[in-house]
Amino acid sequence: MPYIIQSVKPNTNLVRKRTSLQIMFDVVFALTMREIKTRFGHNRLGYFWAIIEPVAQASIMGIIFSLIGRNSVANIPVALFLFTAILPFKLFGKLLNQLAAAIDANKGLLSYRQVTAIDPVITRIIIELATFLLVYLFIFSVMAWLGFSAWPDDLLGLLTATALLIIFTTGLGLLLCTAISYWKDASKLTAIITLPLFFISGIFFCATMIPPQYWYLFDWNPIFHAIELSRDSFFSAYTSPIGQWSYLSFCALISFSSGLALFHLCRHRFISL
């Protein structure tokens, strides 16, 4: 009896097509694992440096304040006063640097069809936010263990100020990332931006220490507003005379919308680099 060969149709129910959102999630997850291994995998101390850097800066500044006889600033303990400014500024500086180099550091992966230009950007935002959160919780948990009042008076206000700072920095990072694709030396602008801002963003001083006639020299700086509003939200004993939610929100909106628009317009250029 001859064999009867029947064509077998594949069961299409077993073939699961991934949506674009699922593909993006898988790509971002893979890039996140790659970034973590690249940054911390070959370093035995790993996240230790992310914690020790702001602690060392706050300690040095705290010693300077102690030498000049200042144990508190604006009725706030010096350590808490410094940490509530150093940590947000570190987030700004680290996130800006990482986003500015996001495409240049991953352009070899953009040749893969699944990887889009925005994926490395999202990856680096996630890593920097996770690092900031872990460092923030660790440092203030230690401060609470040492007897400081380390719980913010207005948690929602503190989160809002941090979120607006992240949105502002993301937009600025996207602008720099796009600029680097046209001019490689634009990466040097990050140091030009962050270095002077370190001294004029209210890290080791606050608005109440500045004479009112000189406020105009600082109130243009959105980072200064973010730090002032963070201190205002963290400490009930401090009320910022300069920090404005409307101005910080406006700067965040303009920065993010312009950065995202320019990044979207140049997305095909990133692949062809």
Side-chain angles (χ1 to χ4, degrees), residues 7 40 48 54 62 64 69-70 108 122 155 174 179 199 208 213 221 229 241 258:
S7 61
F40 307 110
F48 173 77
I64 295 173
R70 298 291 297 272
I122 295 175
L155 180 59
L174 292 176
F199 297 101
T208 56
Q213 62 268 28
N221 180 6
L229 292 171
S258 57

Side-chain angles (χ1 to χ4, degrees), residues 162-179:
T162 305
L164 290 174
L165 177 62
I166 292 167
I167 294 170
F168 171 77
T169 309
T170 300
L172 199 59
L174 292 176
L175 288 172
L176 281 174
C177 183
T178 307

Side-chain angles (χ1 to χ4, degrees), residues 233-252:
S233 301
F234 204 102
F235 307 107
S236 58
Y238 181 72
T239 301
S240 174
I242 293 181
Q244 295 181 8
W245 292 105
S246 57
Y247 180 74
L248 181 58
S249 301
F250 175 77
C251 291

